Amino acid sequence: MASTSRTRTGRGRGRGRGSGSSSLPPPPSTLPLIIEEFFIVVYEDPLVKKELPKKFADYLDGKEPAKVYLRAADCGPRLWTVEVLFDGQDRMYLDKGWEKFAIAHGVDFGCFVHFKYEGDDVLTVKVFDGTMCRRYYYSDDEIDDDVKPCIHPL
């Protein structure tokens, strides 16, 4: 067997494109903090106030809303008004109005509730059950004042 030799030209893998200035993004600590999506896991009574992540509360620092508007993803244009409670220790809770939303959308023990902040105090919500499958709903327009659940039947 004949042996082959390779000569290197200085352009090996992972070495970049020469010795010019780096075009790498700034380190994460210098980027602005943008919290657009987060989730909570329902470990206790699904109908009582729900604490939102501290990072999201910190993100809203200085512009804490008195209420937010929840919109179920793919469930029509209805916005559910939910009062927000700040406890003075940088914790934020969904309070009055959460119970009706939770009942109407089948939030129960073990559910994962995904939130996406849309700006203007609007949060789009998706509910995943304990099997990690997303729950789908009928249109919120079908819900009357009695707040009947709008979960698709299995």
Side-chain angles (χ1 to χ4, degrees):
M1 275 206 209
S3 94
T4 60
S5 69
R6 289 183 142 173
T7 56
R8 302 241 175 211
T9 60
R11 298 185 79 186
R13 290 185 180 171
R15 296 181 189 244
R17 294 186 172 173
S19 61
S21 64
S22 173
S23 62
L24 295 174
S29 62
T30 62
L31 295 173
L33 179 64
I34 299 174
I35 305 296
E36 292 180 343
E37 295 183 71
F38 57 89
F39 70 90
I40 62 172
V41 182
V42 179
Y43 290 120
E44 71 281 341
D45 185 348
L47 304 181
V48 301
K49 68 182 178 188
K50 291 291 161 248
E51 183 177 357
L52 299 183
K54 184 178 179 334
K55 277 190 175 183
F56 182 66
D58 291 345
Y59 175 68
L60 296 178
D61 188 36
K63 53 186 183 246
E64 294 92 349
K67 55 187 148 193
V68 293
Y69 305 95
L70 303 182
R71 184 181 70 81
D74 304 324
C75 204
R78 180 173 180 175
L79 294 175
W80 296 73
T81 302
V82 177
E83 290 183 17
V84 176
L85 174 68
F86 288 90
D87 68 358
Q89 298 178 359
D90 298 326
R91 287 187 290 226
M92 175 182 182
Y93 299 87
L94 296 177
D95 199 20
K96 293 179 183 167
W98 167 255
E99 180 179 1
K100 283 186 176 185
F101 181 88
I103 290 170
H105 295 90
V107 177
D108 204 355
F109 293 99
C111 282
F112 284 67
V113 184
H114 175 269
F115 296 87
K116 181 175 182 186
Y117 184 60
E118 305 288 353
D120 296 325
D121 304 330
V122 175
L123 293 162
T124 298
V125 182
K126 294 178 186 175
V127 178
F128 295 80
D129 65 21
T131 67
M132 304 303 171
C133 293
R134 182 169 166 211
R135 292 190 171 180
Y136 288 89
Y137 313 97
Y138 296 111
S139 169
D140 277 342
D141 295 334
E142 297 174 12
I143 298 172
D144 59 24
D145 291 336
D146 294 330
V147 192
K148 58 187 174 196
C150 65
I151 302 171
H152 285 293
L154 295 176

